[in-house]
């Protein structure tokens, strides 16, 4: 399964052996920065691929807002008309809409749908997906369990960039600058330098990971029964697509003469360090990329001397003009450039022209292998016939030419418009007739068997044979390319739900907090299961408040226990009355589906603005919840930056509960909390919506959620605001804002005001 972020990459993928390509169109895909293919051009590309037995999957793998829904409907209609093979989805609402409008269209669960184990695969099947792209942090052992789930296909990433956050669970870019990774506009803050306060302020790209290279794990994955091996890279150049697809194609087919050579070539195309990631349980200390967080290249030699813009270098690589290199200047800063001039002086000595004075004696790296990239060609490739036909042609005098063809076990008949005439001197020969029937060039068909019944002295003109053959080709291909009917879009009914009194819920994620809680303020209190034994929990239940369990991404609920809040699709629990923050509902269709699954209280995405929440409330009869106050997890990481920093020397990572802090160059400090083998990067400040409580209540939101992680957060002050609300003490929004400022409740309101891109 090859990435196609541009037309050239599309052709390169097919030329070098992809069985399928996935691509985005100009809207609703997770790589909005890629060139992408225009929707109007899509039918041409689908036809090109299908005629070469290659499937085309379209990525609609972002979260969609209600104000974009008309455009989504138009897009899906155009995709259906183009004859695509499947759509890859993150949004449950988009799945629900497609199932209602185009039930025959195949839907695949994107890696952004956050399925990481066999239970999640079962749930995806129940929801109606035909394939799941498992999360990239899933091990081969767990993938093997996933593959045992019958009735649904499995797709696994084997090469390319790794997200440090668990798939589909990153809000970092949204909080940093309003550009949502869940909407294809990630600004990649994970690739920046941060200071680890517990590592003496040492700066490094602690969150940046190496690239996945699973070429050595292919045999294991194929034996498991994985249906599709996926290459990441819709933002990469065509040469990258060509080289990586060629390497994996050869490895899958057992044709790789030198796997090491192919791996070396892939490094030259893009390399920030290779890792098998968590495919084979590689240590979380070894997947981080603490060097340059973009293309590092491969070391090819040393810089020996420098004089007036020219450097003498020693290199085992045959340097040529057009090669790209990376080196450190005399100040120690990394420099990158393409070579404009090279002069070979000896077997491994070259003069090259450099833009900056280099550090003498230092290594330099190849970032672009000009000769390798020029060896690839990604023009349109000739069509190799792959659909066998069996045929019998009857040519009888005074009868019409009849061509009987069998394809896929089905027999079809074509005949000429005119009857066959007797020749005056010489009839047509068998060789002449077959010559015209065999002209199946530029079609996917070939004759597996062709017999001929030819009357003596029967004359059949070439135009007659060609006309029947061409009609056969057109109709056979149309039969193979069955298109779905275009239907009237499904619509949502307007809700009749009226606004009720606003309720308040509480989520507790840390110790030392329970003693500060006024139980009477909340309709529900959610705790992590690990807090169940704390004394205050029993007291809360005795007071009459319902105390249930919530979870962080990646954490499995213990069996039994109290009522649970559902935060991902991987739990055995099927009671989904309470839908937590990690499901990210962003439109009314998603809320509708969650309600159909039993959702009575549904927490809306924190990426929504106030007006966007209002739009969802107009169509929803379920109880909607919005975050009133609290920090949120921006990332859920298997990778541990503290291990990489060398600050933590512990070995029992699964039981670790330490808290560290990363500071960005703007001075924002992000707590990183270890729980259950994951590291959770929290927002630098709380999100605050309490001054909008009146507006939220009026539009029909049922509850505000408050969540606390550490005992030193302003729990008492926030609860005092709730008491004043319940006592109807607030006279205006301005009064609340003044009180909040005076009492030191600080937080971020930008997302609620503007939403995200």
């Amino acid at each position: 399964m090859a990435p196609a972020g541009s037309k050239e990459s599309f052709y390169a993928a097919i030329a070098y052996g992809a069985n399928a390509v996935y691509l985005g169109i100009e809207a609703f895909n997770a790589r909005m920065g890629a060139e992408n293919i225009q929707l109007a051009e899509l039918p041409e590309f689908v036809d090109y691929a299908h005629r070469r037995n290659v499937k085309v999957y379209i990525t609609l793998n972002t979260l969609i807002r209600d104000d974009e829904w008309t455009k989504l409907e138009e897009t899906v209609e155009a995709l259906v008309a183009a004859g695509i093979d499947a759509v890859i989805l993150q949004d449950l609402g988009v799945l629900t809409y497609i199932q209602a409008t185009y039930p025959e269209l195949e839907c695949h669960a994107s890696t952004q749908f956050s399925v990481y184990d066999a239970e999640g695969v079962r749930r995806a099947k129940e929801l109606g997906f035909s394939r799941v792209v498992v999360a990239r942090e899933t091990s081969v052992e767990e993938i093997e369990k996933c593959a045992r789930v019958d009735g649904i296909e499995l797709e696994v990433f084997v090469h390319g960039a790794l997200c440090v956050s668990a798939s589909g669970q990153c809000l970092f870019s949204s909080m940093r600058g309003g550009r949502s990774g869940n909407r294809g506009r990630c600004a990649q803050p994970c690739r920046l330098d941060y200071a680890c306060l517990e590592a003496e302020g040492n700066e490094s790209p602690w969150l940046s990971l190496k690239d996945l290279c699973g070429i050595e794990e292919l045999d294991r994955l194929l034996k498991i029964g994985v249906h599709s091996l996926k290459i990441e890279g819709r933002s990469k150049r065509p040469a990258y697509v060509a080289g990586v697809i060629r390497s994996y194609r050869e490895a899958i087919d057992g044709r790789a003469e030198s796997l090491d050579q192919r791996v070396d070539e892939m490094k030259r195309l893009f390399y920030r360090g290779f890792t098998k990631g968590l495919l084979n349980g590689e240590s979380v200390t070894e997947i981080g990329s603490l060097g340059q967080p973009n293309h590092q290249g491969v070391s090819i030699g040393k810089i020996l001397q420098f004089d007036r813009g020219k450097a003498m270098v020693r290199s085992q690589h045959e340097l040529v003009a057009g090669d790209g290199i990376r080196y450190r200047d005399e100040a120690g800063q990394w420099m990158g450039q393409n070579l404009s001039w090279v002069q070979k002086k000896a077997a491994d000595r070259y003069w090259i022209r450099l833009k900056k004075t280099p550090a003498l004696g230092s290594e330099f790296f190849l970032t672009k292998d000009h000769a390798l990239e020029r060896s690839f060609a990604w023009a349109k490739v000739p069509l190799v016939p792959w659909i066998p036909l069996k045929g019998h042609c009857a040519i009888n005098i005074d009868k019409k030419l009849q061509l009987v063809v069998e394809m896929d076990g089905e027999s079809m008949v074509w005949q000429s418009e005119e009857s066959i005439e007797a020749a005056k001197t010489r009839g047509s020969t068998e060789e002449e007739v077959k010559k015209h029937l065999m002209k199946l060039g530029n079609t996917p068909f070939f004759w597996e068997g062709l017999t001929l019944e030819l009357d003596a002295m029967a004359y059949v003109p070439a135009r007659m044979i060609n006309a029947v053959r061409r009609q056969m080709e057109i109709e056979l291909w149309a039969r193979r390319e069955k298109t779905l009917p275009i239907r009237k879009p499904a619509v949502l009914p307007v809700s009749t739900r009226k606004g009720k009194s606003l309720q308040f819920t509480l989520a507790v994620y840390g110790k030392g907090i329970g003693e500060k809680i006024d139980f009477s303020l909340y309709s529900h209190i959610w705790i992590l299961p690990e807090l169940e034994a704390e004394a205050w929990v029993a007291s809360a239940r005795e007071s009459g408040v319902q105390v249930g369990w919530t979870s962080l991404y990646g954490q499995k609920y213990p069996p039994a226990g109290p009522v649970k809040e559902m935060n991902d699709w991987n739990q055995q629990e099927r009671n989904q009355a309470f839908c937590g923050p990690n499901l990210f509902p962003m439109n009314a269709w998603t809320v509708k589906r969650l309600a159909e699954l039993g959702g009575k209280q549904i927490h809306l995405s924190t990426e929504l603005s106030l007006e966007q929440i209002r739009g969802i409330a107009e169509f929803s009869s379920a109880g909607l919840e919005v975050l009133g106050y609290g920090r949120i997890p921006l990332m859920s990481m298997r990778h541990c930056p503290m291990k990489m920093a060398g600050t933590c020397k512990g070995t029992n990572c699964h039981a670790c509960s330490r808290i560290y802090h990363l500071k960005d160059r703007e001075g924002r400090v992000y707590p990183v909390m270890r729980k259950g083998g994951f590291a959770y990067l929290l927002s630098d400040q709380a999100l605050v919506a309490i001054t909008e409580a009146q507006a939220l209540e009026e539009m029909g939101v049922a509850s505000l959620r408050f969540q606390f992680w550490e005992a030193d957060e302003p729990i008492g002050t926030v609860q005092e605001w709730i008491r004043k609300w319940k006592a109807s003490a607030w006279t205006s929004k301005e009064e609340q804002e003044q009180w909040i400022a005076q009492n030191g409740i600080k937080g971020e309101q930008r997302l609620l005001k503007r939403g995200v891109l």
Side-chain angles (χ1 to χ4, degrees):
M1 172 77 122
S6 68
K7 298 174 185 178
E8 292 80 8
S9 293
F10 179 90
Y11 293 126
I14 294 174
Y16 287 92
N19 303 103
V21 292
Y22 66 103
L23 54 98
I25 35 85
E26 61 261 34
F28 309 130
N29 78 89
R31 290 293 183 271
M32 292 298 291
E35 181 180 328
N36 292 313
I37 287 172
Q38 299 301 301
L39 192 56
E41 302 172 314
L42 186 60
E44 171 192 344
F45 286 91
V46 172
D47 185 68
Y48 177 88
H50 283 182
R51 286 181 180 274
R52 287 156 181 80
N53 199 20
V54 174
K55 292 189 175 182
V56 177
Y57 301 136
I58 300 296
T59 56
L60 292 180
N61 55 341
T62 59
L63 299 180
I64 314 297
R65 298 192 308 254
D66 287 317
D67 59 293
E68 301 168 314
W69 210 260
T70 299
K71 185 175 182 180
L72 174 76
E73 291 173 352
E74 294 169 353
T75 299
V76 174
E77 180 178 320
L79 296 179
V80 170
I84 64 162
D85 295 285
V87 286
I88 305 171
L89 307 176
Q90 175 185 6
D91 195 314
L92 181 65
V94 179
L95 171 72
T96 305
Y97 168 78
I98 289 175
Q99 288 172 331
T101 310
Y102 299 105
E104 306 95 333
L105 181 58
E106 193 171 324
C107 295
H108 296 177
S110 167
T111 186
Q112 296 292 103
F113 198 70
S114 303
V115 171
Y116 60 76
D117 68 7
E119 200 57 50
V121 174
R122 289 188 190 93
R123 198 67 196 280
K125 177 185 173 183
E126 292 171 4
L127 292 171
F129 288 109
S130 60
R131 178 182 293 185
V132 169
V133 187
V134 294
R136 275 173 277 193
E137 57 274 8
T138 310
S139 69
V140 174
E141 288 73 22
E142 190 58 50
I143 292 170
E144 186 170 10
K145 297 176 185 176
C146 293
R148 294 179 192 144
V149 180
D150 292 330
I152 188 166
E153 296 179 349
L154 215 60
E155 186 166 289
V156 176
F157 274 99
V158 292
H159 195 93
L162 287 168
C163 287
V164 59
S165 179
S167 301
Q169 299 292 316
C170 185
L171 299 173
F172 201 2
S173 182
S174 294
M175 283 294 292
R176 280 286 299 251
R179 292 175 54 182
S180 172
N182 280 324
R183 291 175 46 76
R185 293 174 171 85
C186 180
Q188 295 193 319
C190 55
R191 301 296 184 186
L192 302 177
D193 284 345
Y194 296 87
C196 181
L197 301 188
E198 286 73 22
E200 301 177 351
N202 186 15
E203 277 199 359
S204 193
W206 299 116
L207 302 174
S208 180
L209 298 189
K210 297 174 183 175
D211 284 352
L212 175 65
C213 181
I215 199 164
E216 295 178 352
E217 302 299 320
L218 295 186
D219 286 346
R220 293 179 67 192
L221 292 171
L222 293 172
K223 288 176 182 176
I224 286 172
V226 168
H227 293 82
S228 177
L229 304 172
K230 191 166 193 173
I231 308 295
E232 184 275 341
R234 281 189 289 136
S235 298
K236 301 291 199 309
R237 295 173 295 119
Y240 169 90
V241 175
V244 174
I245 294 300
R246 178 176 70 177
S247 297
Y248 278 82
R249 178 80 273 160
E250 290 179 353
I252 292 168
D253 294 344
R255 296 186 289 109
E257 294 181 4
S258 174
L259 197 59
D260 290 341
Q261 177 188 343
R262 291 296 185 231
V263 171
D264 181 66
E265 288 175 354
M266 290 192 291
K267 289 179 180 179
R268 293 164 187 251
L269 294 166
F270 194 89
Y271 182 65
R272 56 165 68 95
F274 277 166
T275 174
K276 294 180 184 178
L278 296 165
L279 277 177
N280 64 348
E282 188 158 344
S283 169
V284 293
T285 64
E286 297 173 7
I287 65 176
S289 174
L290 294 187
Q292 191 161 320
N294 50 21
H295 183 27
Q296 299 175 11
V298 293
S299 176
I300 58 169
K302 288 192 174 183
I303 300 174
L304 304 179
Q305 63 184 87
F306 184 77
D307 181 35
R308 290 177 291 184
K310 296 179 181 178
M312 170 62 74
V313 299
R314 181 177 70 240
S315 175
Q316 60 269 35
H317 169 73
E318 184 77 21
L319 287 166
V320 297
D323 279 345
I325 65 167
R326 186 172 69 99
Y327 60 96
R328 288 191 185 274
D329 66 15
E330 58 185 346
Q333 298 298 309
W334 283 111
M335 300 297 300
Q337 68 172 78
N338 284 340
L339 297 179
S340 59
W341 177 81
V342 176
Q343 187 178 75
K344 188 171 185 177
K345 301 301 292 182
D348 61 350
R349 297 290 194 279
Y350 300 84
W351 281 108
I352 60 176
R353 187 173 284 120
L354 297 181
K355 294 180 180 179
K356 284 290 190 81
T357 302
L360 295 182
S362 64
E363 285 184 294
F364 71 106
F365 297 79
L366 183 73
T367 56
K368 179 186 176 186
D369 188 330
H370 187 61
L372 172 64
E373 296 200 9
R374 283 178 63 87
S375 71
F376 297 119
W378 45 77
K380 294 183 179 181
V381 295
L383 192 156
V384 178
W386 53 278
I387 302 176
L389 305 177
K390 292 181 179 179
H392 177 75
C393 184
I395 300 174
N396 305 114
I397 296 172
D398 295 331
K399 293 183 179 180
K400 294 182 178 182
L401 181 152
Q402 189 176 75
L403 180 60
V404 181
V405 177
E406 182 181 318
M407 181 183 75
D408 299 332
E410 185 178 359
S411 185
M412 293 148 280
V413 180
W414 288 268
Q415 62 181 15
S416 61
E417 293 182 359
E418 309 163 42
S419 297
I420 306 297
E421 296 180 356
K424 294 179 180 179
T425 56
R426 183 181 71 84
S428 300
T429 67
E430 185 173 328
E431 291 76 14
E432 290 171 339
V433 174
K434 283 193 172 182
K435 175 184 175 182
H436 295 293
L437 287 174
M438 297 294 288
K439 290 180 179 178
L440 298 177
N442 204 35
T443 76
F445 305 112
F446 68 93
W447 292 113
E448 187 177 54
L450 178 61
T451 59
L452 184 63
E453 177 186 335
L454 179 62
D455 281 357
M457 294 303 290
Y459 174 72
V460 54
R463 62 174 174 77
M464 182 185 293
I465 303 172
N466 291 335
V468 173
R469 190 202 69 243
R470 281 193 291 267
Q471 190 63 28
M472 174 204 74
E473 293 168 354
I474 292 169
E475 293 184 18
L476 283 180
W477 185 244
R479 186 176 290 268
R480 292 286 303 214
E481 288 287 278
K482 293 178 181 177
T483 56
L484 303 181
I486 302 300
R487 295 193 171 95
K488 186 177 179 180
V491 296
L492 286 175
V494 176
S495 170
T496 56
R497 183 182 185 276
K498 304 297 182 183
K500 298 179 180 179
S501 298
L502 198 63
Q503 300 293 310
F504 302 97
T505 61
L506 174 67
V508 179
Y509 295 102
K511 296 181 179 180
I513 295 172
E515 292 75 10
K516 301 181 180 183
I517 297 173
D518 181 348
F519 307 138
S520 67
L521 300 178
Y522 306 103
S523 60
H524 290 84
I525 297 176
W526 302 107
I527 63 172
L528 295 177
E530 64 193 57
L531 302 176
E532 179 66 33
E534 293 196 355
W536 69 269
V537 174
S539 300
R541 290 195 177 109
E542 289 170 2
S543 74
V545 65
Q546 186 176 49
V547 181
W549 286 351
T550 187
S551 66
L552 295 170
Y553 179 82
Q555 311 299 333
K556 304 288 280 189
Y557 283 123
V563 64
K564 300 174 180 66
E565 181 181 65
M566 300 306 295
N567 275 297
D568 61 51
W569 303 101
N570 304 280
Q571 307 290 343
Q572 289 187 352
E573 178 72 53
R574 287 294 189 270
N575 180 359
Q576 202 157 323
F578 299 94
C579 302
N582 292 66
L583 298 181
F584 303 126
M586 211 169 192
N587 56 66
W589 277 92
T590 299
V591 172
K592 172 183 181 293
R593 185 62 173 275
L594 290 174
E596 290 171 350
L597 294 169
K600 297 179 180 178
Q601 181 171 289
I602 300 171
H603 190 95
L604 296 180
S605 169
T606 52
E607 295 186 313
L608 289 166
S609 71
L610 198 64
E611 287 307 306
Q612 290 158 0
I613 293 170
R614 187 188 309 277
I616 293 176
E618 289 179 6
F619 290 95
S620 175
S621 57
L624 303 180
E625 181 180 82
V626 172
L627 182 65
Y629 178 91
R631 282 178 164 167
I632 59 172
L634 301 181
M635 288 184 168
S636 303
M637 302 178 287
R638 284 282 180 91
H639 148 271
C640 180
M642 291 76 213
K643 281 281 192 179
M644 288 176 56
T647 300
C648 180
K649 305 294 184 183
T651 56
N652 191 8
C653 295
H654 192 81
C656 179
S657 59
R658 298 176 69 179
I659 300 176
Y660 296 80
H661 301 82
L662 296 180
K663 183 178 180 180
D664 67 20
R665 292 189 172 178
E666 287 75 41
R668 294 179 285 252
V669 177
Y670 303 91
V672 181
M673 183 177 295
R674 289 289 300 178
K675 285 184 181 292
F678 274 72
Y680 299 95
L681 179 86
L682 304 184
S683 54
D684 62 304
Q685 56 184 321
L687 272 67
V688 179
I690 53 179
T691 57
E692 303 294 343
Q694 184 68 42
L696 290 166
E697 182 180 56
E698 289 173 357
M699 68 178 64
V701 170
S703 64
L704 283 187
R705 180 190 185 98
F706 297 82
Q707 52 193 41
F708 298 108
W709 300 80
E710 300 179 79
D712 60 357
E713 293 178 295
I715 300 170
T717 309
V718 171
Q719 292 189 146
E720 182 60 27
W721 176 90
I722 298 176
R723 292 189 190 96
K724 287 177 174 289
W725 172 274
K726 285 178 171 286
S728 301
W730 299 117
T731 59
S732 68
K733 180 179 177 180
E734 291 70 26
E735 180 191 9
Q736 292 183 64
E737 290 175 341
Q738 184 178 7
W739 185 87
I740 286 170
Q742 290 173 347
N743 286 273
I745 300 180
K746 299 178 181 179
E748 171 64 65
Q749 291 183 307
R750 176 182 47 76
L751 294 183
L752 192 67
K753 291 178 179 178
R754 290 180 291 197
V756 294
L757 294 175

